[in-house]
Amino acid sequence: MLTIHHLYADMMNLYGDRGNVISIKKRCQWRGIPVEVIDVGLTERIRPTGCDLFLFGGGQDREQALLAEDLSGSKGADLRAIVEDGGVVLGVCGGYQLMGHSYETPEGQKLPGVGIFDLHTEPRRPKEERLIGNVLVRVRAPETGETREIVGFENHGGRTYLGEDVKPLGEVIVGYGNNGKDGTEGARRLNAYGTYLHGSLLPKNPWLTDQFILNALRRTDESFELEPLDDTTEGRAFSSVAARVAGRR
Amino acid sequence: MSPLPDPRLFAAILAARSARFASRKLKTGGGSTVPGLVARRVDPKVLTKLSRRLRLGSAAITGTNGKTTTTRMVSKILQAAGIRAVNNSTGANLVTGVTAALVSDSGLAGGPLSDMGLFEVDEASVPKVAAETEIEILAVLNLFRDQLDRYGELAYTGKVIASAFGDLPQGGAVVLNADDPLVASLGRSARRPVFYGVDEPTLDTGRLQHVADSKDCPVCGTALVYETVYMGHVGVYDCRHCDFSRPAPEYRVSRVRLEGAKGSEFLLSTPKGEADVKIGLPGLYNVYNALAAAAVAGEAGVRLAEISRGLGEFGGAFGRVERVKAGDREAFLLLIKNPVGFNEILRTFVTGAEARNVLIAINDNDADGRDVSWLWDVDFEMLADAREEGKTDAAPFTVSGIRAEDMAVRLKYAELPVGPVIPDREKAIKSALAATPPGETLHVLPTYTAMLEIRHTLSEMGYTHPFWED
């Protein structure tokens, strides 16, 4: 039984985060793997079951402040411990930003992050634009060393800068990524992933979805293998977006 | 009273007219914004000057969903009341579109042909339009997540709209949807807020849809407690943490009977009495549009009998909901703008037995919203349930548009059968019409630019008219 913990599902539901939950759920169900989704709200504790996947989505600024406060106590500490222990966590946009050291709002309020990733996020300067558009990113899968591409859509004002103790999730081929300057996108440490790509991320990049599922299942059974699925429809969706953004290369 | 001569205004109107003529000759579009742009360049004060000459002032309508339909409904009511209104009805809802409408309504000396201005205004353009125009009535319909890539965030959009309240003349009314918490909270910044709302507990969906955008208290941030949820975050709510709650509506609708594509019936209550109203447009969202139109017209001094008659005679707005006869079949076009609208359309037509033939066309051009992640917030799972329960035996949907493949993935993950995937809009509408049995209706669910393309193809097939003749 795989448990998906959807953090702040009732608040951070912007930009189709639901697509990520549905992707994981269906790809388990189609393989006969029992799966449940638990929504973890404000003030509620995270209760791991041993075979878990944690999703932390994006929200609006007002909500970021509420979440930062909620995470400043034991919940943030639990999440840190889960990552140190090799737990699978995916943070998207606002969730990704709060997984760093700090996040500064456009009004200048500096919110503390959970500190899972060595990174911080600065607000958009008055003359800077929001970073918006389709994104194509090259990702090296550490498990196999092979290079693959993922597509998504980004829409963020904050600029994220990585520190020395964290690796980017991938390099931007088209789009802005972390800050629009250094060509990096997202972050990865152990089994924790952060990214600005929504749109939604997982439906069009099913191999990444499977990677998360496999990492989670292998926590209880090291030899677990996933049956392959027919990904023709997903593959076409990936290719059509990749072709659309390739025009801007 | 003849207006004083104003050479600059005269030149602006003249220039705008030539631009309009040229734009139609060159078939570059409906000529609905370029003349405004030209006129403003010649006389930057053209909008202020022209709007001041309107005998009954102006009303502006803004919000995410239903601007065009509501504006057209008010227009119909005013017509029933014998008031001539100038409006920007072809969806040109920035300050240039408003200017163009007023220019084309003016004689060369600047004297208006109409009594009143009636404008639909893009949310972000409200402050600019309010600063330059005498807006006696400003209506805010709702604020949903829609093209966030353009506007940033919802709360911010609310602030932008509220910043215009100070520019309203003394006694100017701000008409607000009491059932949308963020919109209702704007009443706190208005000198004279007027609320409207629906009281119909049988329409409770029982749950906040996944797309609910602002279900936290806009004042203190605590989660709101809902007694009734009509759609998205719209309903009857209360904050248990501060003094914010749903304001009591002065214009309200109750005893609602939704009758699918045929339309709806309801009881309309206003400060001046009650009336039974029938509208020919489908879905609860059009009941809200009619209610908002009634409130705007009521505040403009129109009598209840004329409000009721105007709503009853109203047909439909360009492209939003439109029936096109296509030989021995029919195409029913329902514009898709965002998840809430999409859910309502699915709930109204597709979960019943009504829609057997469906074409969905998703584009991601600027006017559609470039981000299609919202497709995941649409409750296609509800359709899968309806299919399971035998409530619908609709044929697998044909999917089209630049993002047809994304739509196909969405259907797959809702465990719905995926029909033909035909990204090209022209080929898709032709193929879907051919696949529709004679005598039946093809339900077409396009995003904005896909709708324009599909209308164009239908038009070439001899089935509809170019939009500026609408």
Side-chain angles (χ1 to χ4, degrees):
Chain A
M1 165 75 87
L2 175 72
T3 305
I4 303 168
H5 303 259
H6 192 187
L7 270 61
Y8 310 109
D10 56 335
M11 310 174 66
M12 310 287 273
N13 62 355
L14 274 180
Y15 311 123
D17 280 335
R18 192 164 165 256
N20 291 332
V21 177
I22 294 173
S23 282
I24 297 166
K25 198 168 123 187
K26 287 295 166 191
R27 296 184 72 79
C28 285
Q29 286 175 349
W30 289 335
R31 294 173 165 117
I33 301 166
V35 59
E36 67 170 339
V37 182
I38 295 178
D39 291 348
V40 184
L42 275 182
T43 73
E44 287 172 354
R45 290 203 64 167
I46 300 172
R47 298 180 194 282
T49 61
C51 181
D52 308 280
L53 217 153
F54 301 86
L55 282 178
F56 189 176
Q60 307 192 26
D61 279 337
R62 179 161 56 88
E63 290 152 349
Q64 291 281 77
L66 288 173
L67 300 198
E69 196 193 325
D70 191 55
L71 286 165
S72 64
S74 63
K75 195 187 267 173
D78 289 349
L79 204 55
R80 255 192 319 272
I82 286 166
V83 171
E84 294 309 322
D85 189 42
V88 184
V89 182
L90 170 63
V92 180
C93 208
Y96 166 45
Q97 291 168 336
L98 287 177
M99 286 166 78
H101 296 305
S102 66
Y103 167 79
E104 196 177 329
T105 68
E107 289 80 30
Q109 187 189 6
K110 201 164 181 178
L111 304 172
V114 184
I116 288 169
F117 296 131
D118 179 22
L119 57 83
H120 72 282
T121 302
E122 297 174 6
R124 168 166 70 103
R125 306 277 163 231
K127 292 222 165 140
E128 289 176 335
E129 295 283 328
R130 279 181 83 87
L131 306 178
I132 303 171
N134 287 304
V135 196
L136 183 63
V137 175
R138 186 177 297 126
V139 174
R140 190 173 294 277
E143 284 71 13
T144 59
E146 66 180 318
T147 310
R148 305 201 56 163
E149 290 178 346
I150 56 175
V151 291
F153 192 93
E154 64 183 321
N155 179 356
H156 52 107
R159 269 68 171 166
T160 295
Y161 294 93
L162 303 181
E164 288 185 350
D165 290 337
V166 68
K167 295 252 178 307
L169 174 63
E171 55 180 296
V172 176
I173 304 171
V174 181
Y176 300 101
N178 282 329
N179 47 53
K181 291 179 191 136
D182 65 14
T184 65
E185 153 51 33
R188 172 163 186 194
R189 192 162 76 84
L190 301 169
N191 277 327
Y193 298 74
T195 180
Y196 272 118
L197 272 59
H198 51 79
S200 302
L201 173 68
L202 298 184
K204 280 191 291 288
N205 303 293
W207 67 271
L208 191 61
T209 319
D210 285 353
Q211 176 102 65
F212 291 148
I213 295 172
L214 191 62
N215 286 346
L217 290 169
R218 283 198 173 158
R219 309 251 304 144
T220 51
D221 177 359
E222 278 180 30
S223 61
F224 197 93
E225 293 293 342
L226 287 179
E227 282 169 47
L229 295 173
D230 177 0
D231 290 337
T232 316
T233 311
E234 293 86 336
R236 287 204 186 110
F238 170 86
S239 304
S240 77
V241 178
R244 188 154 167 73
V245 298
R248 294 171 39 208
R249 241 184 259 225
Chain B
M1 168 188 82
S2 101
L4 294 170
D6 179 335
R8 183 171 280 250
L9 181 61
F10 172 78
I13 293 171
L14 197 63
R17 289 200 168 177
S18 334
R20 177 156 157 255
F21 181 73
S23 143
R24 289 204 173 175
K25 268 272 185 263
L26 297 170
K27 294 204 192 304
T28 50
S32 37
T33 59
V34 176
L37 210 66
V38 171
R40 296 174 66 79
R41 216 173 287 143
V42 177
D43 184 354
K45 290 201 171 130
V46 60
L47 182 53
T48 309
K49 287 177 185 169
L50 292 179
S51 72
R52 278 203 188 131
R53 298 178 179 192
L54 292 161
R55 190 168 61 85
L56 300 175
S58 293
I61 293 166
T62 193
T64 314
N65 286 321
K67 286 188 286 283
T68 303
T69 305
T70 305
T71 306
R72 297 282 297 261
M73 284 175 163
V74 177
S75 174
K76 193 82 194 171
I77 294 170
L78 294 176
Q79 215 178 326
I83 298 170
R84 189 172 165 154
V86 43
N87 61 63
N88 53 339
S89 58
T90 43
N93 58 14
L94 308 180
V95 74
T96 45
V98 173
T99 309
L102 272 168
V103 166
S104 72
D105 184 64
S106 301
L108 277 180
L113 305 172
S114 299
D115 307 308
M116 185 176 162
L118 173 61
F119 308 112
E120 68 158 277
V121 181
D122 177 87
E123 297 91 289
S125 299
V126 170
K128 196 150 195 208
V129 172
E132 295 188 25
T133 320
E134 293 270 299
I135 303 288
E136 299 283 343
I137 305 165
L138 171 62
V140 188
L141 305 180
N142 49 59
L143 288 172
F144 285 108
R145 177 155 67 91
D146 180 40
Q147 304 182 10
L148 232 80
D149 40 330
R150 263 199 310 150
Y151 295 143
E153 303 177 338
L154 277 180
Y156 175 74
T157 306
K159 275 186 213 164
V160 168
I161 293 172
S163 73
F165 293 173
D167 281 326
L168 265 55
Q170 196 71 32
V174 180
V175 173
L176 298 166
N177 185 348
D179 300 348
D180 182 323
L182 181 54
V183 171
S185 74
L186 302 183
R188 300 186 156 221
S189 339
R191 277 193 299 256
R192 193 162 81 78
V194 175
F195 294 99
Y196 66 87
V198 171
D199 284 317
E200 184 51 79
T202 62
L203 293 176
D204 187 12
T205 56
R207 62 191 179 133
L208 284 166
Q209 279 161 352
H210 306 284
V211 295
D213 292 308
S214 61
K215 52 207 165 180
D216 296 327
C217 175
V219 179
C220 74
T222 319
L224 290 168
V225 179
Y226 277 80
E227 187 184 309
T228 313
V229 178
Y230 296 123
M231 60 175 98
H233 60 269
V234 173
V236 179
Y237 54 84
D238 182 30
C239 179
R240 299 276 159 89
H241 197 254
C242 71
D243 65 348
F244 180 71
S245 64
R246 178 204 187 223
E250 281 125 287
Y251 292 80
R252 56 189 277 272
V253 148
S254 58
R255 290 201 245 144
V256 181
R257 286 217 310 277
L258 301 177
E259 289 168 355
K262 281 207 276 314
S264 317
E265 289 182 40
F266 52 82
L267 178 70
L268 172 67
S269 312
T270 76
K272 289 180 188 160
E274 297 190 332
D276 286 308
V277 175
K278 253 189 201 182
I279 57 168
L281 294 192
L284 179 60
Y285 55 110
N286 279 314
V287 173
Y288 267 101
N289 292 336
L291 174 56
V296 170
E299 291 306 300
V302 178
R303 289 182 306 152
L304 184 58
E306 283 147 354
I307 290 176
S308 159
R309 186 153 58 88
L311 288 175
E313 287 169 1
F314 182 76
F318 151 65
R320 270 54 183 184
V321 176
E322 184 181 15
R323 285 179 185 279
V324 177
K325 189 139 177 44
D328 52 3
R329 301 164 174 92
E330 188 183 51
F332 192 13
L333 271 65
L334 298 134
L335 176 70
I336 299 294
K337 281 180 74 183
N338 51 33
V340 176
F342 209 149
N343 276 340
E344 280 306 297
I345 284 166
L346 292 180
R347 188 164 76 170
T348 308
F349 299 102
V350 191
T351 50
E354 209 168 320
R356 293 180 34 79
N357 315 288
V358 179
L359 164 66
I360 301 177
I362 307 295
N363 277 0
D364 67 350
N365 295 314
D366 282 349
D368 305 293
R370 288 187 291 150
D371 180 7
V372 296
S373 59
W374 60 272
L375 290 178
W376 290 91
D377 292 329
V378 179
D379 204 356
F380 290 100
E381 282 70 17
M382 154 178 88
L383 269 187
D385 292 347
R387 198 171 260 275
E388 191 109 305
E389 291 162 19
K391 285 186 195 156
T392 169
D393 57 350
F397 300 163
T398 304
V399 293
S400 179
I402 299 166
R403 301 303 285 259
E405 311 284 0
D406 278 75
M407 189 62 229
V409 172
R410 178 68 189 97
L411 293 178
K412 174 179 174 179
Y413 279 78
E415 311 249 15
L416 285 165
V418 182
V421 180
I422 311 170
D424 185 272
R425 277 71 75 197
E426 183 179 341
K427 287 185 187 137
I429 180 68
K430 287 181 173 166
S431 153
L433 267 179
T436 300
E440 291 196 13
T441 298
L442 172 67
H443 287 70
V444 184
L445 281 50
T447 59
Y448 185 73
T449 66
M451 182 197 69
L452 296 182
E453 293 165 342
I454 286 170
R455 272 180 128 256
H456 181 73
T457 299
L458 287 171
S459 171
E460 282 190 336
M461 295 165 82
Y463 296 147
T464 186
H465 308 285
F467 71 83
W468 61 85
E469 288 179 13
D470 169 273

